[in-house]
Amino acid sequence: MISKKLEEALNAQVNAEFYSAYFYLSMSADFAVKGLPGFANWMKVQFKEEQDHAQKLFNYIIARGGAPKLMAVDGVKTSWDTPLEVYTDTLEHERKVTEAFNKLYKIALEENDFAAQSFLKWFIDEQVEEEENVIAIIDALKLIGDNGYGLYSMDKDLSSRTFTSALAE
Ligand code: FEO
């Protein structure tokens, strides 16, 4: 059984993951509208991953005797000037998500909830990967600068990203 405090914090994180999903779907839409289908695909996969994260937390709340509470999802930004601006926003957002999981882990530590600590470790590791992937894209975009062929070529590369659910992990 999880404590009320942890249940509430996990429910807030379910909402935050749906917000992330919404944020990345909005970025995907903006890329698609601007003729960058590979970037749009990358963000669509990101959108699906965030929904997956929300479900993983949702399932865990139930497994530990709590109750998921789905709250309203805030609206998101809908337009960006450049791909670099999109990924800079993404990195800033993911760093906030990392902070949120660190806070959740701290609650689990304070409560001696070892099962929750074990569960949250997956997300803490996932955040390292999330930030690393986005930093690599930011570095590539900085190298490309205003080079149209570079952007075209990167768009082709990003079109190959596929989604794999982490629900079974
Ligand atoms: Fe659910 Fe992008 O972390």
Side-chain angles (χ1 to χ4, degrees), residues 102-150:
N102 289 345
K103 282 188 184 149
L104 279 164
Y105 195 86
K106 193 157 177 281
I107 297 173
L109 278 176
E110 284 163 1
E111 295 182 347
N112 286 329
D113 187 333
F114 302 110
Q117 288 168 37
S118 173
F119 170 73
L120 288 166
K121 204 175 166 304
W122 183 89
F123 285 94
I124 286 164
D125 293 342
E126 170 75 7
Q127 282 310 118
V128 174
E129 203 183 301
E130 291 264 54
E131 288 188 29
E132 191 184 10
N133 291 342
V134 177
I135 288 168
I137 292 178
I138 288 175
D139 288 346
L141 284 168
K142 282 182 180 164
L143 272 177
I144 286 168
D146 289 334
N147 184 309
Y149 182 73

Side-chain angles (χ1 to χ4, degrees), residues 51-123:
Q51 287 185 307
D52 217 47
H53 297 167
Q55 276 190 67
K56 206 171 169 79
L57 291 158
F58 177 103
N59 292 348
Y60 184 75
I61 294 168
I62 295 171
R64 294 290 309 280
K69 299 234 164 33
L70 297 176
M71 296 169 276
V73 180
D74 287 341
V76 291
K77 187 169 165 179
T78 54
S79 182
W80 287 261
D81 289 336
T82 61
L84 184 57
E85 188 190 325
V86 174
Y87 282 93
T88 303
D89 277 6
T90 300
L91 182 59
E92 190 185 319
H93 180 68
E94 286 301 332
R95 284 180 170 155
K96 282 188 198 149
V97 174
T98 299
E99 215 28 63
F101 277 109
N102 289 345
K103 282 188 184 149
L104 279 164
Y105 195 86
K106 193 157 177 281
I107 297 173
L109 278 176
E110 284 163 1
E111 295 182 347
N112 286 329
D113 187 333
F114 302 110
Q117 288 168 37
S118 173
F119 170 73
L120 288 166
K121 204 175 166 304
W122 183 89
F123 285 94

Side-chain angles (χ1 to χ4, degrees), residues 11-59:
N11 265 314
Q13 195 57 35
V14 170
N15 185 266
E17 297 294 332
F18 278 123
Y19 176 85
S20 299
Y22 215 38
F23 194 40
Y24 296 137
L25 188 60
S26 184
M27 289 172 171
S28 177
D30 196 41
F31 279 137
V33 166
K34 289 171 179 159
L36 290 166
F39 281 92
N41 171 66
W42 195 96
M43 279 299 171
K44 185 76 76 70
V45 172
Q46 196 70 12
F47 156 70
K48 288 178 186 163
E49 281 196 356
E50 300 302 350
Q51 287 185 307
D52 217 47
H53 297 167
Q55 276 190 67
K56 206 171 169 79
L57 291 158
F58 177 103
N59 292 348

